[in-house]
């Protein structure tokens, strides 16, 4: 009987190991058909006045790239730090940065590590490195006045994560544009996979390994984005486990929401094709976050950071 139990236990362990191995090997993300509503609008953007990249140094010595926009109207004494959406970089925030500068704001638009000119595209060293980077950036570029953090989509989700962090007071206010809250949040529209393919089996396997203290495979890709051919060349087409886990709220997004103490404003387009605009206000209310939620008429997901009416709505939210 003991031998039978031992053999059964051995077979169970072998089956679990085999399942993990198969999930790691075959359970990654699949290619995604390019999503035109996210790719196409940027072909119409005038990048002729795009500022050159500057650099701040993170605690591990890696250069963090960013673009600085001086106010082009009477300065109002407020700095806005911009975080781009998934797969993108600081260039995607150029029209919004210009609109804010024209309203008197000083703007710094980041290439978040793993994107653009900051580190290796698609990869970060550990979960939590992005919070460390943001702290390092703020301390490396001191500002005498109000500072706001503004994030779009995944950047908005990460801004929410940071607003729940012990370092949240580095910013006086948070502005979230169509923020990604969570794949199972009531704000997620069915069909979100039209933009991103998620390797769920691989993610689950890596989560198990991470619980066991094994992080050596966190460099494996777990998400792939619906970029067109030009975007595949210029942007970040996929994320490893560390980056995908970090550039978003935590899995317990309600805990993040409940931990927020700084003022928060949320803007989302009425025609957002990835998220449900009418679900943001109830979610923040249920979490006890006194956020102001503005639905921008006629704007889709990317349009909330590009359309002229949306840009003015964002400027008003920052004032």
């Amino acid at each position: 009987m003991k031998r039978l139990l031992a053999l059964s236990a051995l077979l169970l362990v072998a089956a679990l190991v085999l399942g993990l191995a198969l999930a790691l090997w075959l359970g990654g993300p699949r290619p995604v058909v390019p999503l035109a509503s996210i790719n196409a609008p940027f072909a119409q953007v005038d990048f002729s006045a795009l500022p050159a990249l500057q650099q701040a140094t993170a605690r591990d010595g890696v250069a963090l790239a960013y673009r600085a926009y001086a106010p082009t109207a009477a300065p109002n004494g407020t700095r806005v730090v911009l975080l781009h959406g998934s797969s993108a970089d600081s260039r995607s925030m150029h029209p919004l940065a210009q609109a804010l500068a024209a309203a008197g704001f000083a703007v710094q638009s980041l290439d978040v590590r793993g994107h653009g000119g900051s580190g290796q595209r698609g990869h970060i060293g550990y979960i939590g490195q992005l919070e460390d980077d943001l702290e390092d950036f703020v301390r490396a570029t001191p500002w005498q006045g109000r500072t706001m953090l503004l994030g779009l989509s995944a950047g908005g989700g990460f801004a929410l994560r940071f607003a729940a962090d012990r370092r949240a007071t580095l910013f006086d206010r948070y502005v979230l544009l169509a923020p990604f809250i969570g794949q199972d949040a009531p704000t997620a529209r069915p069909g979100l996979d039209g933009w991103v393919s998620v390797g769920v089996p691989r993610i689950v396997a890596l989560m198990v390994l991470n619980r066991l203290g094994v992080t050596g495979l966190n460099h494996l890709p777990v998400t792939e984005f619906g970029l067109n051919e030009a975007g595949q060349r210029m942007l970040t087409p996929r994320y490893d486990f560390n980056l995908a886990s970090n550039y978003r709220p935590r899995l317990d997004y309600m805990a993040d929401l409940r931990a927020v103490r700084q003022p928060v404003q949320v803007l989302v387009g009425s025609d957002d094709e990835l998220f449900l605009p009418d679900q943001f206000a109830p979610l923040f209310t249920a979490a006890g976050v006194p956020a102001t939620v503005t639905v921008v008429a006629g704007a889709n997901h990317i349009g909330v950071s590009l359309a002229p009416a949306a840009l003015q709505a964002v400027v008003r939210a920052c004032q």
Side-chain angles (χ1 to χ4, degrees), residues 52 134 137 192 196 214 218 260 299:
L134 190 53
F137 175 79
L192 180 61
V196 58
V214 179
N218 285 7
V260 172

Side-chain angles (χ1 to χ4, degrees), residues 208-260:
V208 170
L209 290 175
N210 275 244
R211 288 289 184 92
L212 297 174
V214 179
T215 60
L217 297 175
N218 285 7
H219 65 282
L220 293 174
V222 298
T223 58
E224 184 154 341
F225 301 102
L227 294 171
N228 60 20
E229 187 176 344
Q232 290 276 339
R233 293 193 306 269
M234 297 175 61
L235 303 178
T236 303
R238 58 194 61 87
Y239 286 176
D240 71 6
F241 180 76
N242 284 337
L243 183 52
S245 300
N246 202 165
Y247 202 43
R248 53 164 293 156
R250 293 167 184 83
L251 289 178
D252 186 357
Y253 60 84
M254 287 300 291
D256 275 358
L257 284 165
R258 294 189 185 104
V260 172

Side-chain angles (χ1 to χ4, degrees), residues 80-84 93 96 100 108 148-152 155-156 159 171 173-177 267 305 314-315 317-318:
V80 183
V81 176
L82 301 183
L83 303 174
H84 54 75
M93 305 298 279
L96 177 55
L100 288 165
Q108 292 169 323
M148 284 187 281
L149 184 63
L150 187 157
L152 168 67
F171 298 95
R173 190 144 58 101
Y174 290 80
V175 180
L176 317 179
L177 305 186
L267 295 93
S305 69
V314 176
V315 168
C318 292

Side-chain angles (χ1 to χ4, degrees), residues 187-212:
T187 51
R189 186 185 295 277
L192 180 61
D193 56 358
W195 165 239
V196 58
S197 168
V198 181
V200 175
R202 182 176 288 173
I203 286 177
V204 171
L206 289 169
M207 289 175 69
V208 170
L209 290 175
N210 275 244
R211 288 289 184 92
L212 297 174

